[in-house]
Amino acid sequence: MTTFRKLSLTTTLVLSSFLMSGCATGGAGMVGSSSNVKYGDAKAAETVTADFGSTDLQSTAETLTQSLLESRYIAKAQKPPKVRLRAVNNLTYEHIDTKAITDKIRIKLLKSGQVRFLADTANLNQVNSERDLTTAATTKTKMKAMTDSDYIITGNVRSIKKANDDVKDVYYNVSMELVDPQSGEILWADEKEIRKVTAKSSVGW
Amino acid sequence: MSLTKNTLLSLTLGSLLLLGLSGCARKNEGNFIGKERVVLKEHKSFQEGKFLKVTATFENEDDTEVEGMVYQVQWLDSRGIMVDQTSWKPFTIIGKQQIHVVDMASRPDVTNYRIIISTPNK
């Protein structure tokens, strides 16, 4: 009798949980799933406009990272060189977050294990204020010197735009270089070229 | 006696299951999403220093249709786990044209790859 009661209680619980989940909007772990907002593939090729977009950012970072990893100054280095990212200049007419490009390259290079990075010049204020809080600074003992970078990475983003009544053509050129800060010698340089064409009459896709 | 029999049986079944699973694993093959309008003519990989490099050739066998599509390379480690992937890279290929692409993994633990081609709906 007790077993029968237990069994019926379990059945009731299971059935009610099924019914409850059927009534819930969006299901477990989802809110507002009936709205127009949907998650997409973050790596999908995006062609909403001809402006510099996520696909351009990703493909630029991938190409330049691959090229840098193949360069003999990284690939043949005895131990991972210390690199500091300097500014990449945006010489285009539109706003491009060039730091997003260099940050993405840095993430990929760090994952490769072939390169070590020093704090960005933009973040040096934070590093210096942290140094001021260290024991060495507060007890006024000798501070450890900051590490020299073996190389720095700089670059430029350029664009050429042309348009007539039917076609708009945008060409982006992202170039980067690896420089030895001691000698000033450019050791590696490469570029990523992107062409985007917007046609008023839809041809292709 | 019965315990030994059961252990042997489960071991045999486990081995068979593992064999079956390894048979299902697809190595270095192109996968298509959508209609297969471009052929993955050939693909090969080699070691470039610590990293795996992949070259692939796509061909549009149709001599009139211009095809626009995207491809992605998924990077797998020795256990078959996807550890990285490229962005979906767009390319346009005219009739009878071949396109060669080169991609390199940026992680040293990558030992295998999978190329995926996606075509838009027409």
Side-chain angles (χ1 to χ4, degrees):
Chain A
M1 186 62 186
T2 324
T3 321
F4 178 73
R5 282 181 70 181
K6 271 185 184 170
L7 194 69
S8 59
L9 184 68
T10 316
T11 317
T12 316
L13 276 170
V14 170
L15 276 173
S16 58
S17 66
F18 266 117
L19 283 171
M20 295 269 280
S21 65
C23 294
T25 50
M30 285 181 269
V31 174
S33 65
S34 56
S35 76
N36 290 329
V37 183
K38 295 280 179 286
Y39 277 97
D41 183 353
K43 291 187 181 292
E46 170 264 312
T47 51
V48 179
T49 67
D51 292 342
F52 196 88
S54 62
T55 303
D56 307 319
L57 168 71
Q58 289 165 345
S59 62
T60 301
E62 279 170 15
T63 305
L64 293 175
T65 306
Q66 284 173 21
S67 173
L68 194 54
L69 285 174
E70 284 178 284
S71 76
R72 65 190 172 102
Y73 298 97
I74 305 290
K76 301 258 194 288
Q78 295 293 317
K79 56 179 185 178
K82 283 170 280 192
V83 177
R84 194 188 306 277
L85 280 172
R86 307 290 294 201
V88 170
N89 305 309
N90 177 14
L91 305 175
T92 69
Y93 294 104
E94 66 182 286
H95 169 74
I96 295 174
D97 183 3
T98 55
K99 186 96 170 53
I101 303 172
T102 51
D103 279 2
K104 205 157 181 58
I105 290 173
R106 178 165 53 190
I107 290 167
K108 286 185 171 293
L109 287 173
L110 279 173
K111 279 187 179 172
S112 77
Q114 301 296 295
V115 179
R116 294 164 72 188
F117 277 93
L118 302 179
D120 286 357
T121 44
N123 297 335
L124 272 181
N125 283 343
Q126 300 293 326
V127 178
N128 280 327
S129 68
E130 187 61 31
R131 271 166 71 89
D132 290 342
L133 299 173
T134 55
T135 321
T138 47
T139 55
K140 302 209 186 304
T141 47
K142 200 178 176 188
M143 291 283 280
K144 190 167 85 175
M146 275 209 188
T147 313
D148 289 338
S149 61
D150 296 315
Y151 307 122
I152 58 163
I153 294 175
T154 62
N156 294 300
V157 185
R158 295 182 175 87
S159 73
I160 298 170
K161 290 189 181 188
K162 288 196 170 183
N164 61 21
D165 292 342
D166 303 321
V167 180
K168 182 184 168 193
D169 180 271
V170 190
Y171 166 84
Y172 290 103
N173 182 302
V174 184
S175 63
M176 285 203 178
E177 53 196 46
L178 187 76
V179 184
D180 183 341
Q182 304 282 330
S183 64
E185 188 185 0
I186 298 172
L187 304 169
W188 163 91
D190 207 346
E191 62 180 358
K192 170 73 179 174
E193 294 176 297
I194 297 164
R195 159 153 271 127
K196 287 173 154 183
V197 183
T198 315
K200 275 187 180 171
S201 54
S202 61
V203 178
W205 61 291
Chain B
M1 183 65 185
S2 158
L3 187 71
T4 325
K5 223 178 191 179
N6 277 341
T7 317
L8 272 174
L9 187 69
S10 50
L11 270 174
T12 319
L13 279 174
S15 316
L16 278 173
L17 186 70
L18 272 176
L19 274 175
L21 280 174
S22 63
C24 292
R26 304 179 74 186
K27 290 186 87 182
N28 305 346
E29 283 184 16
N31 294 302
F32 287 85
I33 299 172
K35 207 176 168 197
E36 191 176 325
R37 292 198 292 264
V38 163
V39 181
L40 181 59
K41 203 76 180 167
E42 63 169 331
H43 58 99
K44 57 187 174 188
S45 66
F46 50 92
Q47 206 67 26
E48 179 84 42
K50 290 181 179 171
F51 305 106
L52 190 74
K53 202 170 196 177
V54 173
T55 63
T57 306
F58 302 110
E59 187 181 286
N60 184 0
E61 289 186 325
D62 198 326
D63 53 358
T64 52
E65 284 283 308
V66 178
E67 300 286 0
M69 53 193 58
V70 289
Y71 80 96
Q72 183 182 54
V73 182
Q74 294 184 342
W75 303 110
L76 316 172
D77 69 4
S78 56
R79 297 164 297 174
I81 298 170
M82 190 179 76
V83 288
D84 201 4
Q85 59 192 335
T86 65
S87 57
W88 285 99
K89 296 184 178 178
F91 66 96
T92 305
I93 183 164
I94 60 170
K96 292 290 177 195
Q97 191 195 12
Q98 284 194 349
I99 282 189
H100 305 279
V101 294
V102 183
D103 277 284
M104 192 176 85
S106 54
R107 290 171 59 126
D109 55 344
V110 169
T111 56
N112 205 353
Y113 64 97
R114 187 186 293 132
I115 298 170
I116 304 172
I117 300 150
S118 175
T119 51
N121 296 323
K122 278 198 172 179

